[in-house]
Each structure stands twice: as C-alpha cells, then as structure tokens.
Amino acid sequence: MTCIFCQIVARELPAEILFEDSELVVFKDINPEAPVHLLIVPKRHFDSLNSLDELTAQIGARMFLAAKKMAESLGIESGYKVLINCGREGGQVIRHLHMHLLGGWGRKPVRR
Ligand code: AMP
Ligand code: ZN
C-alpha cells in the first residue's frame, strides 16, 4: 500500500493543500502545533532525509525555498521555524520525507 503522503499527493486522501508545483505539495498539518503548521512534501516518495543523495539533494533546496515563500505569503516571515524529523528516534512518524513549517505566534487570534 502506498504511504499516506503519496495518497495525499495523488488526491486519494483529502488534505488542505495550499500550494503545489511540479515537485512539491504544501498542506496543513492535521494536528497543528503552532498557529501556522504546514507540511512541505516532495511529490516523489523518499522515505526520509537519509534517502537524499547528490542527485536528489536539489529537492531539499526546493523545500527550503517553498518554506520561505509560504512564510511570506502567509505574512509570518518575521518569525518561523522549519523542522525535518528523520528516523523513528528522530521523531519521524510518517515515512515520507517532509518539512514542518511552524509559525504565526505573533498573530492576533481570529474573533468569530
Ligand atoms: P513527523 O512526526 O515528522 O513524521 O510528522 C508527521 C506529521 O504529519 C504530524 O505532525 C501529523 O500531525 C501530520 N499528519 C499525519 N497525517 C496527516 C494527514 N492525513 N494530513 C495532514 N497531516 C498529517
Ligand atoms: Zn510516500
């Protein structure tokens, strides 16, 4: 069975996708740990950061650039964090390479 992030990429599972290009999708984390918590996910399946090599390292650069652009487009560029958990001991639960983008702490709460 394909992994759940591959299924999100293939639109077989729902997700709140905020950005997509030929190499990446960016969607909201289902269990946010910050006011803004996005996942930046390569469309191609890599198990983890350990799977990148000289030929595929460029995907890492694309992920960093996507984090910067998403932070700018969401107005949180004054302060955010990016995080990649790698391996079970490193806290990686989903075995498909992804970068967390966390921020928005300075935002005023939305009144309803
Ligand atoms: P990690 O611990 O780095 O593997 O992070 C996995 C992240 O994926 C967690 O923050 C989860 O909340 C998130 N997550 C798991 N399933 C989904 C899903 N179906 N849609 C969006 N985010 C998810
Ligand atoms: Zn996958």
Side-chain angles (χ1 to χ4, degrees), residues 4-82:
I4 69 164
F5 285 2
C6 280
Q7 289 179 280
I8 288 173
V9 167
R11 303 293 207 277
E12 292 164 8
L13 273 182
E16 274 197 70
I17 296 177
L18 301 187
F19 175 81
E20 176 174 23
D21 67 13
S22 59
E23 290 191 280
L24 302 173
V25 289
V26 180
F27 51 88
K28 291 188 182 176
D29 196 293
I30 205 168
N31 186 20
E33 292 182 17
V36 173
H37 187 170
L38 306 183
L39 298 173
I40 297 161
V41 178
K43 287 185 167 176
R44 180 174 163 191
H45 179 95
F46 298 95
D47 279 353
S48 77
L49 182 56
N50 286 343
S51 309
L52 295 189
D53 59 19
E54 280 71 12
L55 289 176
T56 53
Q58 169 264 358
I59 195 73
R62 290 285 294 254
M63 291 165 77
F64 275 108
L65 201 58
K68 185 200 99 162
K69 288 182 178 172
M70 289 308 301
E72 282 171 356
S73 72
L74 294 170
I76 60 161
E77 71 274 19
S78 61
Y80 60 93
K81 300 175 199 273
V82 294

